Amino acid sequence: DGGITQSPKYLFRKEGQNVTLSCEQNLNHDAMYWYRQDPGQGLRLIYYSQIVNDFQKGDIAEGYSVSREKKESFPLTVTSAQKNPTAFYLCASSDRGPSYEQYFGPGTRLTVT
Amino acid sequence: GQSLEQPSEVTAVEGAIVQINCTYQTSGFYGLSWYQQHDGGAPTFLSYNALDGLEETGRFSSFLSRSDSYGYLLLQELQMKDSASYFCALAGAAGNKLTFGGGTRVLVKP
């Protein structure tokens, strides 16, 4: 079955630690995205990538980093510089072009204490 | 930049019709998408309007008016499983990305 996987579903970290969230897709999509969702809020774009070895900052990129070394994978690192990292993180992918239809992974709920 | 406004919550009974409005500000865009998200789950794509007018997909319909910077999602014959959050999103002209509204929580009561 084609889809997007994110792991782990729940992640707990201490303040000051960097943490990497995994995102893998087998939909053969060129574009991949990372969003952050806070309780009762909409999705805010962190980073996106339209092609391997290229990515762009979204609206809230500070304190985050990404890489896109393979078409299937787009890991997100939440660094210690992110002031308020506790949130629900969603990865998505789409075909290249106006990305009106994106396919989302199940999300990772990160708690930093 | 781009911004979208939606009501925060709507409550209705089973079998009823609900309209979720979305007003937006943008300098240019390809179209308006709608997504559904159940609590704790992933958003799933519902509908897309590239042109003005109504798009119908089963019990759900979506409408866009570019001249009014306005769209809506119409949920008909409401079912309990329709209790979820619904997001409108602009497919941006600048870059291959979506800008989401804050979401409307729909609560369906028996």
Side-chain angles (χ1 to χ4, degrees):
Chain A
D1 280 334
I4 301 180
T5 56
Q6 292 185 243
S7 59
K9 189 163 179 64
Y10 298 94
L11 192 53
F12 298 88
R13 281 293 183 273
K14 295 289 189 186
E15 237 178 73
Q17 293 178 334
N18 290 356
V19 59
T20 298
L21 281 57
S22 164
C23 177
E24 304 277 332
Q25 57 101 357
N26 60 4
L27 299 168
N28 200 33
H29 284 160
D30 286 307
M32 296 186 75
Y33 313 82
W34 273 106
Y35 294 91
R36 170 185 172 133
Q37 187 175 33
D38 292 290
Q41 305 294 315
L43 283 68
R44 291 184 290 166
L45 183 64
I46 305 172
Y47 269 98
Y48 64 109
S49 167
Q50 299 188 51
I51 198 168
V52 174
N53 291 323
D54 188 41
F55 48 83
Q56 290 80 40
K57 292 182 179 179
D59 301 316
I60 55 165
E62 187 176 345
Y64 300 97
S65 66
V66 293
S67 63
R68 186 86 187 276
E69 296 176 4
K70 298 187 300 182
K71 187 174 183 177
E72 302 79 18
S73 178
F74 191 40
L76 172 75
T77 297
V78 184
T79 75
S80 56
Q82 168 51 230
K83 297 279 186 260
N84 189 16
T86 295
F88 188 45
Y89 290 89
L90 287 155
C91 179
S93 71
S94 73
D95 288 324
R96 208 189 287 193
S99 64
Y100 61 88
E101 182 174 2
Q102 294 184 5
Y103 295 79
F104 285 82
T108 292
R109 195 166 298 278
L110 173 65
T111 303
V112 177
T113 57
Chain B
Q2 299 179 319
S3 66
L4 301 96
E5 292 288 330
Q6 305 177 232
S8 59
E9 192 169 299
V10 172
T11 301
V13 297
E14 264 187 305
I17 298 173
V18 158
Q19 179 173 314
I20 301 170
N21 297 323
C22 175
T23 57
Y24 58 83
Q25 291 186 333
T26 181
S27 56
F29 70 112
Y30 287 116
L32 188 69
S33 294
W34 288 92
Y35 285 77
Q36 178 192 60
Q37 184 183 31
H38 287 98
D39 282 349
T44 56
F45 172 78
L46 289 177
S47 185
Y48 175 67
N49 293 76
L51 304 174
D52 281 7
L54 193 67
E55 290 285 339
E56 295 179 85
T57 310
R59 293 187 297 113
F60 295 174
S61 303
S62 59
F63 174 83
L64 175 65
S65 169
R66 287 175 180 264
S67 60
D68 295 321
S69 296
Y70 163 76
Y72 66 73
L73 180 70
L74 194 70
L75 286 63
Q76 301 179 78
E77 300 171 21
L78 274 178
Q79 301 176 8
M80 297 298 291
K81 67 179 181 180
D82 298 330
S83 290
S85 293
Y86 294 83
F87 297 90
C88 57
L90 285 173
N96 187 25
K97 56 183 182 176
L98 287 172
T99 301
F100 284 83
T104 299
R105 190 175 181 86
V106 172
L107 178 60
V108 181
K109 294 188 171 180

